[in-house]
Amino acid sequence: MRDLASRLPSSPGFWRSPLRGRRFTAVLGLVLLVGITVLFVTGLLSYAAYNPGLDPVNDKTPDKGILGFYLFAWPAGPAWLYRLNQGVHVTLGLTLIPVLLAKLWSVVPRLFALPPVRSLAHGLERISLLLLVGGGLFQFVTGVLNVQLDYVFPGSFYPLHFYGAWVFFAAFAVHVALKMPIALRALRTLRDERDERDDDLAAPRPDPPTVSRRGALWLVGGGSLLMFVTNAGRSFDGPLRQTAVLSPHGGPEPGSGPNGFQINKTAAYVGIDPAETREDAWRLVVTGRTGTVRLGRAELLDMEQYSAALPIACVEGWSTSDQWWRGVRLRDLAARVGFEDDPPDVFVESLQRHGAFRSGALRANQVTDARSLLALSVNGETLSLDHGYPARIIVPAAPGVLNTKWVTRMTFGYLG
């Protein structure tokens, strides 16, 4: 019976790796402390960029309550703001995966320790640990699946990832508060390997080492570097994009010519009927203070045309470089329906048949910006159907899904 007990994960003798120890865990924990904090902040900023407080159509978490306390009017510049935010958020998240897995491996004996609860304080720590481990795995798994365009969880990614982030980060903050003194003591003695008798993570009867702890840390760092190199390039054009071999939007561009840059969803995927986009069939309906006007592409092309160099940046972390868009300024369309001096918010609708963002709302500051266009062409050529022909929105610093394609109706001063 005693021999059987020693073979159970709850027995200290079950865990034999000589690598486990407070110092090893503390180094990984310090990296995660900085990295996860940045992930949380950039995630909240990404959520704010969707302008969920502007209109119900933008709000995928209507029951968030006080969790939306920080929301603010997302700025329309600099143009690369959302591109930078999501590039950091997604690339850092992928880069931290080896660190997270190594950290979980380093503390796994504690998950099986008996008795499971020794005191009230210990019980609270165990609950926070359960939320920390479960929440961390949930956030990273759902994030990776979304980035890989293979999201299989029931329900929308947006509320699950948003609420999961708050649960995970709350447990993370509690864990940091409880463990920071221990971690700091371990880091202060980082070079002292002589006495580990009080190290409850170290194996009491370790197997002979095959690699040092420093070597193990280098291995984890190498794994993170590999994740960085094989994913970061999708935020760029040119040779760097070729290195993003683990990203759906890495590798070569999907086509050639002015419209050959990256596309998130094709016209066929979202149910666009090409017959509806023909010049004799399509009209843009613009509604505002003075009524409604209907404009065909020829009438839009007769209006004064403006150009802007803007990227497209998506929540999955990929982006294009600046493309040269040309079309009608949103504020000029607002002026056509009675908003000459004070362009308001606008509600934009698409021909798109299905999808979470077949319509969306933009703030007044986005409408007012001179770079915000109803684009009719890109890089000197008429928009392709997949890039939003006959007309699409392009706004600086906005998430890609708010740059609505196949626009059919715009309502200025709309109140959801």
Side-chain angles (χ1 to χ4, degrees):
M1 184 67 69
R2 182 178 300 176
D3 184 60
L4 177 61
S6 66
R7 297 179 183 177
L8 296 176
S10 57
S11 170
F14 180 87
W15 308 100
R16 306 294 296 273
S17 173
L19 297 179
R20 289 191 179 90
R22 284 185 181 176
R23 283 182 284 273
F24 182 74
T25 298
V27 172
L28 298 172
L30 181 62
V31 174
L32 290 174
L33 172 62
V34 176
I36 287 176
T37 301
V38 173
L39 284 181
F40 185 65
V41 172
T42 53
L44 293 184
L45 290 175
S46 176
Y47 182 74
Y50 279 75
N51 294 329
L54 172 63
D55 190 279
V57 74
N58 289 14
D59 192 356
K60 304 306 174 186
T61 55
D63 300 320
K64 59 186 173 296
I66 62 172
L67 297 182
F69 71 92
Y70 74 96
L71 292 175
F72 58 95
W74 187 252
W80 42 259
L81 180 61
Y82 191 74
R83 182 184 186 187
L84 173 65
N85 187 84
Q86 281 311 101
V88 170
H89 182 74
V90 173
T91 303
L92 178 60
L94 294 171
T95 302
L96 287 178
I97 288 175
V99 184
L100 177 69
L101 294 177
K103 175 68 160 59
L104 292 177
W105 173 85
S106 74
V107 298
V108 71
R110 284 181 175 166
L111 301 179
F112 296 93
L114 295 176
V117 177
R118 296 192 295 269
S119 65
L120 178 60
H122 184 248
L124 293 175
E125 179 187 346
R126 298 285 284 186
I127 292 174
S128 72
L129 188 62
L130 178 64
L131 294 175
L132 179 69
V133 174
L137 291 175
F138 178 80
Q139 287 301 103
F140 276 81
V141 169
T142 54
V144 168
L145 289 174
N146 188 63
V147 166
Q148 293 296 322
L149 309 180
D150 194 23
Y151 187 74
V152 295
F153 278 74
S156 170
F157 167 77
Y158 299 96
L160 289 176
H161 208 64
F162 177 77
Y163 292 125
W166 280 104
V167 172
F168 170 57
F169 196 77
F172 181 71
V174 171
H175 185 74
V176 168
L178 292 172
K179 296 300 182 182
M180 182 60 76
I182 298 174
L184 290 177
R185 284 198 301 271
L187 290 172
R188 280 195 295 266
T189 59
L190 192 60
R191 296 182 178 275
D192 185 5
E193 299 279 351
R194 291 174 297 176
D195 189 356
E196 295 188 344
R197 287 174 296 181
D198 64 340
D199 191 339
D200 58 345
L201 286 174
R205 295 189 302 277
D207 288 332
T210 56
V211 64
S212 68
R213 286 177 179 168
R214 182 171 297 180
L217 290 174
W218 276 109
L219 181 63
V220 174
S224 291
L225 179 62
L226 180 64
M227 293 295 290
F228 177 82
V229 169
T230 55
N231 284 281
R234 63 176 157 191
S235 296
F236 305 91
D237 272 352
L240 283 177
R241 187 177 291 276
Q242 307 294 320
T243 66
V245 295
L246 296 185
S247 168
H249 288 93
E253 296 288 9
S256 60
N259 279 276
F261 54 95
Q262 293 289 323
I263 297 169
N264 200 11
K265 292 180 173 63
T266 65
Y269 179 85
V270 298
I272 298 297
D273 182 356
E276 293 182 278
T277 68
R278 293 199 309 258
E279 290 198 30
D280 61 343
W282 178 84
R283 293 293 182 273
L284 173 67
V285 179
V286 185
T287 300
R289 180 185 286 159
T290 57
T292 297
V293 297
R294 295 169 61 86
L295 303 168
R297 261 188 67 92
E299 293 167 289
L300 289 168
L301 287 168
D302 283 340
M303 295 178 66
E304 189 167 2
Q305 303 291 295
Y306 293 85
S307 297
L310 298 173
I312 296 175
C314 284
V315 69
E316 295 95 352
W318 69 270
S319 61
T320 71
S321 60
D322 288 351
Q323 310 295 321
W324 277 100
W325 307 91
R326 189 164 177 81
V328 180
R329 294 186 303 190
L330 298 188
R331 67 190 193 188
D332 291 344
L333 289 169
R336 289 288 295 262
V337 289
F339 295 102
E340 291 84 358
D341 301 319
D342 56 341
D345 305 336
V346 63
F347 179 62
V348 184
E349 298 173 76
S350 172
L351 290 172
Q352 183 175 332
R353 289 290 184 269
H354 54 80
F357 287 93
R358 56 186 176 271
S359 59
L362 299 171
R363 290 190 182 276
N365 66 307
Q366 294 171 311
V367 174
T368 304
D369 194 287
R371 297 166 296 177
S372 297
L373 303 176
L374 180 72
L376 306 173
S377 63
V378 62
N379 298 324
E381 186 175 282
T382 300
L383 291 170
S384 68
L385 186 61
D386 283 340
H387 277 302
Y389 179 85
R392 67 167 296 160
I393 297 292
I394 186 72
V395 174
V401 290
L402 293 183
N403 292 312
T404 307
K405 297 194 284 188
W406 312 291
V407 176
T408 186
R409 181 181 293 271
M410 300 176 69
T411 305
F412 289 93
Y414 170 85
L415 296 176

